Amino acid sequence: MASHANQLIDPSIAPAASNSPNDNSHGSPSSSRPQQNGHKRKRSMATRDQGSPTEKGRPTPVKRACNECRQQKLRCDLSNDPDNTECSRCRKLNLECRIDANFHRVEKRNKTLEMERELMELRQRLSMQQEGSGSQANTTHGQSVSDLHQGAADSLIELRNSSDAPLMNSTGIPTPKPRRLGQTTLYPDQVKELFDEYFEKYHPFLPLLDPDKTPDQYFELSELLFWTVIGVAARRYEPDPTLLIGLQDPLFSLLWSTVSNVGSLNYQVVKALCLICIWPLPTKSTSTDPSFLLSGLMMQLALQSGLHRPTHAQDFYRIPIDLNEDDLKDRLKTWACCNIVAQNVSTMNGQPPNTHYDFNLSQSKGSSGLPDELWWRLQTENFCSKIYSLIYSDKANPIGVYSSSERPVLISVLSDEYKELETEVRKLDSFGLQLRLSALFDAPDSPYYKQDLYQLYDTTTTFLQSAIDYPALPYAGAYILRMILAGGFVLMKLLNSFFSHHTDMPSARKLFNQTISAIRSSSIRNNDLPSRLAEVLTQLWHYAGAGVKPRSNEVDDSLQLKGRGRLCLSIIHDSVIRWRKEFQFNKENFGNADIDTNHPTDPNPIGVVENEPPFFSNQMFNPQSLTMPSFADTYSGDLNFQLFDPLTWALDNDSALSMPFGESPAPTVGGFPADPQNMTG
């Protein structure tokens, strides 16, 4: 009955009953709290705990923590002892300990945004002052102020990157964020400039990305894709030539950490892998170049994401996805680029292709849904795949090459298709060179031997001349560089053999000089793989006779390949093996050692053509002045197995494979051997 009586009490008198601190009625706020050991919790009678009553008779909230502890959301012991004037934390940190009734905690995010907004406005004012004033004093002052705030800017960027809230300018439009990777910080104006650099100079070689998207949109799609675009654009970024050095190791770390998180991968990562395979980060040997490994990973991720079935992508996802027409086109374009890149990487490594030219990639130009330029590019790579299938896939041969009696028929079939493609695709036509390189597998007594060599020579000179004349060659990527290198080795062999009697030697030697220059122009770091292979080609040219040594007109086996396991690129690996043999084991070839010392990069010191202008100026690379890059190798740690790679075996002077008979490594000068008699790479 007591509970029933309490329910009948007039609610209007309930607040009056709750004014007493000892009141046990249900109207008291303390009556609803759980009791401990049968006793209610007593309020502190300290003066600071009581508070003052409001106009409605209710007490104000009691503040038991000081301002500093409330700001950091930490436990404060100020109220434990009424005699204390400061808490232990404020006493330890020498802070002012006080309790303000009107104190409100300030969030770090708002404080960071405000400071960053002020910093951005300061940078904009400095930029406007520097642009509007031509005096040196203003520029120096602006740089000093910028340097003064650089440390604070980096700290703010670290805090800002941890927040997802967009930074708004005065008009309420989101401001692009500064981005940071490793120790490299890029501001919005730098990011925009690098993206413009990529789309202007690199994008035409692989039109995969959408130029209409902003850098921030690409960052939201995939952080790896964003930084990969930055890394590609930084290869020849004139405002900051050292940018790529700072990005190389952090970018690889981001790459491996991204692909290792299989559950959160999307097909935007596949785009990043496409770009890394076409424009790999600089390395000094093929053993540290992960392009072939990444191309296989790229194809597997593309299949796992269902890119090969763009209209049935839902079959490869657990959650429902909604794809519009633009999404379907983007997935199809990405799948086409994956096959293009996989074919390129397989070709330049002399490996069978890992491509899938399925139904979606076999449609006609009008019904494929691909841009015309990308469709033609796909046709050329499909043609390269047919070269492998018809010439280098003989199951009855240990190295897969069809015999000299079978190849002419197969090549004639491919030649008809090649002529059709040649009329449509005229930019850096390398697939014709791949077709004719099979002539180096012919036996000297083959009835078509000389005819095949003529076709190889014509195709090689045509390709090399078109590559040399192409203005954007330094931006073309690793695949075109490798094909130029193959053409250079072909020219070197033909001009120093019996076939030299059937060529225009002055023009051919001039073209060879230009080829060396073109290979060096593709180098982006001192002593990287292009510059080292250029030296190999140069020195082989010296010791083969530089195109002036008298040769017999009789057909012999001097053009036969000993290394024949790398398909059409066997010419490169065979030549590097021959280079190592001549320089390390044949003592008779060191009579011209002074030429290598005094003219290390001149491919023609012993056979100068009269009235021929020099093709190598003093600014060309000199191996004795080169310094080994101070960047770490691509992979850290040692593998517990070794794969034989001729390029690595010959070029890695710090590798065990470069010393097959246990000699001590030769001393080096700037990454090159100091003694020509101990030359290993």
Side-chain angles (χ1 to χ4, degrees):
M1 295 297 295
S3 61
H4 181 68
N6 290 337
Q7 295 177 3
L8 298 178
I9 296 176
D10 187 0
S12 62
I13 64 174
S18 63
N19 289 336
S20 175
N22 297 326
D23 188 10
N24 294 333
S25 65
H26 290 278
S28 175
S30 61
S31 62
S32 60
R33 298 176 181 175
Q35 298 181 1
Q36 299 179 355
N37 299 329
H39 300 282
K40 297 190 178 112
R41 182 178 177 181
K42 296 182 179 181
R43 293 186 178 182
S44 174
M45 300 302 296
T47 304
R48 68 165 57 94
D49 293 337
Q50 289 181 356
S52 59
T54 62
E55 296 179 356
K56 295 182 179 181
R58 296 180 181 178
T60 59
V62 177
K63 299 183 182 295
R64 301 178 182 274
C66 67
N67 299 345
E68 296 293 336
C69 292
R70 291 185 65 195
Q71 174 63 32
Q72 300 298 329
K73 290 186 176 181
L74 298 176
R75 184 184 298 276
C76 183
D77 57 2
L78 179 61
S79 61
N80 294 345
D81 188 353
D83 296 332
N84 284 344
T85 59
E86 58 182 356
C87 65
S88 59
R89 179 175 176 274
C90 292
R91 187 184 307 112
K92 181 179 179 180
L93 300 178
N94 195 22
L95 301 175
E96 181 183 3
C97 188
R98 53 184 296 180
I99 297 179
D100 294 332
N102 58 350
F103 175 80
H104 296 284
R105 182 177 176 274
V106 179
E107 294 185 4
K108 290 183 179 180
R109 176 179 298 179
N110 295 335
K111 186 176 181 180
T112 301
L113 292 177
E114 182 64 26
M115 294 177 65
E116 187 172 344
R117 185 180 296 107
E118 294 178 1
L119 177 64
M120 296 295 291
E121 292 177 356
L122 177 62
R123 289 178 60 86
Q124 292 176 0
R125 287 198 298 268
L126 288 175
S127 178
M128 294 175 60
Q129 291 177 1
Q130 292 177 3
E131 293 177 358
S133 174
S135 63
Q136 183 67 25
N138 288 344
T139 302
T140 305
H141 174 70
Q143 292 177 349
S144 62
V145 175
S146 177
D147 294 339
L148 180 64
H149 292 281
Q150 184 62 39
D154 292 342
S155 300
L156 286 174
I157 290 170
E158 292 179 359
L159 291 173
R160 186 68 187 89
N161 287 340
S162 63
S163 172
D164 295 331
L167 179 63
M168 301 294 181
N169 57 19
S170 58
T171 60
I173 301 176
T175 302
K177 305 176 184 178
R179 302 297 181 183
R180 187 182 184 94
L181 182 65
Q183 300 300 320
T184 302
T185 301
L186 296 178
Y187 292 94
D189 54 344
Q190 295 173 296
V191 172
K192 183 180 184 304
E193 186 176 358
L194 285 165
F195 266 75
D196 292 341
E197 174 94 356
Y198 168 80
F199 282 109
E200 178 185 356
K201 298 178 179 179
Y202 298 93
H203 177 73
F205 291 97
L206 188 69
L208 172 60
L209 303 183
D210 184 4
D212 295 332
K213 282 188 171 63
T214 64
D216 282 346
Q217 287 176 320
Y218 278 109
F219 189 88
E220 295 299 328
L221 290 174
S222 171
E223 183 179 0
L224 177 62
L225 179 58
F226 172 87
W227 285 110
T228 300
V229 174
I230 295 293
V232 172
R235 293 166 65 88
R236 301 180 183 277
Y237 185 53
E238 294 182 359
D240 186 1
T242 63
L243 177 59
L244 184 60
I245 300 176
L247 286 176
Q248 179 159 345
D249 290 341
L251 182 55
F252 262 115
S253 299
L254 177 63
L255 168 64
W256 299 124
S257 62
T258 301
V259 299
S260 62
N261 191 5
V262 181
S264 61
L265 292 179
N266 59 54
Y267 80 96
Q268 303 297 333
V269 176
V270 176
K271 297 181 180 180
L273 294 175
C274 288
L275 301 184
I276 292 177
C277 290
I278 292 294
W279 294 281
L281 295 174
T283 180
K284 61 187 178 67
S285 69
T286 55
S287 63
T288 55
D289 181 11
S291 300
F292 189 63
L293 171 67
L294 294 179
S295 68
L297 179 61
M298 171 195 68
M299 291 299 295
Q300 295 300 325
L301 289 177
L303 293 172
Q304 180 176 325
S305 302
L307 296 184
H308 60 304
R309 301 289 185 266
T311 57
H312 295 75
Q314 183 62 66
D315 298 345
F316 301 88
Y317 292 88
R318 294 184 301 171
I319 60 176
I321 58 175
D322 185 16
L323 301 178
N324 54 34
E325 185 177 355
D326 292 337
D327 295 332
L328 294 177
K329 290 182 178 180
D330 187 62
R331 295 175 72 89
L332 178 61
K333 183 170 66 172
T334 305
W335 176 239
C337 289
C338 284
N339 282 270
I340 292 173
V341 172
Q343 184 68 51
N344 286 173
V345 174
S346 298
T347 300
M348 72 181 190
N349 284 276
Q351 298 285 2
N354 181 27
T355 53
H356 301 276
Y357 298 103
D358 53 11
F359 172 82
N360 295 294
L361 301 182
S362 302
Q363 303 299 310
S364 60
K365 185 174 64 173
S367 60
S368 64
L370 296 172
D372 291 348
E373 183 179 2
L374 192 61
W375 186 88
W376 281 113
R377 179 76 181 276
L378 187 65
Q379 303 312 304
T380 60
E381 301 307 328
N382 192 10
F383 177 78
C384 295
S385 180
K386 293 179 181 178
I387 294 176
Y388 165 76
S389 301
L390 294 180
I391 298 179
Y392 300 102
S393 60
D394 185 9
K395 297 181 179 179
N397 192 316
I399 60 174
V401 182
Y402 281 93
S403 64
S404 301
S405 60
E406 297 175 300
R407 280 202 307 275
V409 178
L410 301 175
I411 291 178
S412 63
V413 174
L414 292 172
S415 298
D416 295 336
E417 184 175 352
Y418 167 71
K419 292 178 181 179
E420 296 179 3
L421 286 175
E422 189 179 19
T423 58
E424 298 291 343
V425 183
R426 299 184 180 274
K427 183 175 66 175
L428 297 180
D429 174 16
S430 63
F431 53 92
L433 179 60
Q434 295 184 41
L435 176 63
R436 299 304 178 185
L437 280 170
S438 61
L440 298 175
F441 291 89
D442 290 346
D445 56 354
S446 172
Y448 302 100
Y449 189 52
K450 277 192 175 182
Q451 179 182 350
D452 291 344
L453 291 180
Y454 275 120
Q455 293 175 338
L456 174 61
Y457 176 77
D458 290 340
T459 305
T460 300
T461 54
T462 301
F463 167 70
L464 291 178
Q465 192 62 58
S466 64
I468 292 169
D469 295 339
Y470 193 68
L473 179 63
Y475 307 98
Y479 165 70
I480 295 298
L481 168 64
R482 199 67 59 89
M483 297 308 301
I484 294 175
L485 190 65
F489 279 114
V490 169
L491 208 58
M492 182 270 300
K493 290 179 70 70
L494 293 178
L495 297 183
N496 292 280
S497 69
F498 66 90
F499 190 79
S500 61
H501 294 277
H502 306 281
T503 63
D504 180 6
M505 285 301 297
S507 299
R509 293 171 64 247
K510 177 181 178 180
L511 180 61
F512 182 82
N513 288 349
Q514 293 174 325
T515 301
I516 295 291
S517 180
I519 295 174
R520 289 197 178 102
S521 71
S522 300
S523 175
I524 58 176
R525 297 266 322 252
N526 283 351
N527 203 34
D528 60 359
L529 191 58
S531 61
R532 302 184 78 181
L533 289 174
E535 297 305 321
V536 172
L537 181 56
T538 299
Q539 293 171 8
L540 275 177
W541 172 261
H542 291 336
Y543 289 101
V548 297
K549 185 176 180 180
R551 301 287 181 181
S552 173
N553 195 21
E554 296 295 329
V555 177
D556 54 29
D557 61 350
S558 59
L559 297 178
Q560 294 296 291
L561 298 179
K562 294 184 178 180
R564 304 161 66 90
R566 290 300 186 100
L567 309 182
C568 61
L569 268 293
S570 296
I571 176 65
I572 296 180
H573 298 266
D574 175 80
S575 299
V576 173
I577 294 176
R578 287 174 181 260
W579 171 82
R580 177 179 170 85
K581 178 181 178 181
E582 294 295 329
F583 274 77
Q584 186 164 357
F585 303 117
N586 194 342
K587 304 300 181 182
E588 297 179 357
N589 284 340
F590 293 112
N592 294 325
D594 59 327
I595 295 176
D596 292 323
T597 302
N598 299 324
H599 308 278
T601 60
D602 184 3
N604 193 28
I606 61 178
V608 179
V609 179
E610 294 184 0
N611 300 325
E612 183 177 357
F615 293 94
F616 301 98
S617 60
N618 293 331
Q619 63 183 359
M620 286 298 178
F621 289 98
N622 187 329
Q624 294 189 355
S625 65
L626 291 175
T627 57
M628 179 66 73
S630 59
F631 61 94
D633 287 338
T634 303
Y635 299 112
S636 59
D638 296 329
L639 298 177
N640 57 1
F641 61 93
Q642 293 287 354
L643 296 177
F644 177 77
D645 188 334
L647 292 183
T648 301
W649 179 56
L651 297 177
D652 280 357
N653 54 19
D654 55 351
S655 172
L657 291 178
S658 63
M659 296 292 175
F661 298 107
E663 304 97 323
S664 300
T668 60
V669 177
F672 285 83
D675 183 2
Q677 296 186 359
N678 293 323
M679 186 169 293
T680 59

